[in-house]
Amino acid sequence: MAEYKRQNAGGKAPVAMPNMGPSTMISLEYALAGAIGARVRLQTTLPSQPTIEGTLFTACPITNLVAIAVSTSPSAPPTHHILPISSIQNFTLISTPGAPNGFASPPSTTPALANIPTAALIARADAAVARLKEAASRKNKAVGKEAQDLFDGISRTLPIRWDGNNMVVMDSVVISAPYRGEDCKAGHGVQSQTLSRVRKVVDNERRKFADRERKVVVPAVPAIPAVHTGPRKGG
């Protein structure tokens, strides 16, 4: 058990450390900073708290304050007391950090890292990659914009995919260029209702294209006014 005493009331004078020789002197603030996490007993000039014992939580040289965590038992939550360093006359080091007879301990400066759910992260990454691949597979750079727009329009109603330059709807109807209703061909054993439904969707999408083209307003070019130069001189 080591005891540290203030040399004067200012708090800036060095404090003698026992058993370290007569020439070894350190400041009270430095001694307190080195005892963070230890269980200490403080003698103060405060009438309300002449003696306080607990775990030294922190000692701030900027605000000149110390915080003490006081616990009545290992299972009881600590109560933190804040007091100015200038009020400390001396303090006694009862136990070092982590000693069995210390109660409240300050939190570690390096918090424990939680286990990273690598399996869940890998699953999320795989799902994101799958979505990107699916989005890329729905874009066909070998066809024109109208064909791609038709594909995107059908995809909002029916499942569709590219097979080369052909569209395959519901894995049963193939739409070949130029991708009209009459270009829809059903596979073997496909019901006629399925083919009729696909043709109807294709025709509806193409009708939308035509409606949009008709609604496009071509800005009128203003007429250039005629310039009258008047009669020529001498003519």
Side-chain angles (χ1 to χ4, degrees), residues 123-141:
R124 289 177 59 183
D126 291 342
V129 172
R131 288 194 297 269
L132 291 175
K133 288 183 177 180
E134 181 183 359
S137 67
R138 301 176 71 84
K139 302 297 180 182
N140 193 340
K141 297 181 179 180

Side-chain angles (χ1 to χ4, degrees), residues 24 28 37 39 41 43 45 49 54 72 88 90 105 114 120 130 142-143 146-147 149 184 198 217 227 235:
T24 304
L28 178 62
R39 188 165 180 79
R41 182 183 298 114
Q43 299 291 334
T45 59
Q49 293 178 317
T72 57
I88 301 174
N90 64 74
S105 298
V143 301
E146 182 179 292
D149 291 344
C184 300
V198 173
V217 178
V227 178

Side-chain angles (χ1 to χ4, degrees), residues 106-123:
S108 172
T109 55
T110 304
L113 298 177
N115 293 330
I116 299 177
T118 55
L121 293 177
I122 293 174

Side-chain angles (χ1 to χ4, degrees), residues 151-173:
F151 180 96
D152 296 337
I154 298 174
S155 67
R156 290 190 288 266
T157 305
L158 301 173
I160 187 173
R161 61 181 174 84
W162 285 107
D163 182 17
N165 289 345
N166 294 330
M167 304 178 191
V168 180
V169 184
M170 297 187 295
D171 287 330
S172 57
V173 177

Side-chain angles (χ1 to χ4, degrees), residues 42-65:
L42 303 181
Q43 299 291 334
T44 74
T45 59
L46 302 176
S48 60
Q49 293 178 317
T51 302
I52 183 170
E53 182 177 323
T55 301
L56 184 59
F57 187 82
T58 187
C60 179
I62 300 176
T63 59
N64 288 320
L65 297 174

